Amino acid sequence: SDRQAVALVPLAGNTADELTTHLLAGAATLEAGLGEARITIGVSSVTNGPATLSGLIEEARHARTLAELGEGRVSAITGADVSSHRSLIAAIPGELRRSFRTRLLGPLEEYDAAHQTDLLETLETFLEESGAWAATADRLHVHVNTLRYRLKRIEELTGRSLTSLDERVDFLLALRMR
């Protein structure tokens, strides 16, 4: 069953990020005794008084749900992270996330496995570099023509165009859906 605890912690001048750092340090000391379990922590924004408390508790719950998507045995997310695309991804059921990722990136994963290529890494780097050809080629340590060939192959395998912002967003979201 889903076990969770809610704690109201007075910050006494600390920021939510500082609290998260302390919580992660404390949780890391427990990591050896976790067995197969994980610790996921959601931290809300700082409150200015009791009137906003229920909203902040809900924000912390959403942050914890988002932390469940994190890697590692201990994962923490702050309220500020809840306003990113990661919070939208966290709201999507796991099976739907996996299905979306497989439909979009499956052909690249299969091609990479069969041909010992790095098309998935190329795509991720290209998107991280905001579509900048030279910066992507530099990061991948390849010639721009090699990059051009790889991106064309990605488009052929997926049936998607990397010149379309909508399709780049789809690729980015699929890469984040683990």
Side-chain angles (χ1 to χ4, degrees), residues 13-153:
N14 291 321
T15 66
D17 286 336
E18 290 169 329
L19 175 62
T20 303
T21 299
H22 292 300
L23 288 171
L24 281 174
T29 62
L30 302 174
E31 192 170 344
L34 286 176
E36 294 298 314
R38 294 183 68 220
I39 295 176
T40 55
I41 301 168
V43 179
S44 74
S45 306
V46 178
T47 182
N48 293 327
T52 60
L53 195 55
S54 67
L56 292 175
I57 289 172
E58 190 61 27
E59 182 180 294
R61 282 192 179 122
H62 286 299
R64 192 194 64 80
T65 300
L66 185 55
E68 289 175 356
L69 296 175
E71 310 244 336
R73 307 287 305 284
V74 177
S75 177
I77 299 292
T78 65
D81 295 321
V82 174
S83 62
S84 78
H85 68 275
R86 290 177 187 88
S87 64
L88 295 174
I89 291 171
I92 300 170
E95 185 59 36
L96 185 55
R97 284 194 313 266
R98 286 184 291 279
S99 175
F100 181 81
R101 180 182 169 86
T102 300
R103 278 194 320 263
L104 193 55
L105 301 180
L108 302 180
E109 292 171 336
E110 290 170 13
Y111 188 89
D112 280 349
H115 299 92
Q116 283 70 49
T117 55
D118 296 314
L119 295 182
L120 203 58
E121 178 189 7
T122 299
L123 174 62
E124 188 163 21
T125 304
F126 180 72
L127 294 173
E128 287 172 357
E129 292 295 338
S130 301
W133 292 71
T136 303
D138 284 347
R139 263 189 62 195
L140 293 172
H141 306 290
V142 299
H143 192 274
V144 173
N145 288 339
T146 301
L147 175 63
R148 186 171 285 119
Y149 169 79
R150 288 183 186 178
L151 295 176
K152 183 177 188 301
R153 193 73 184 123

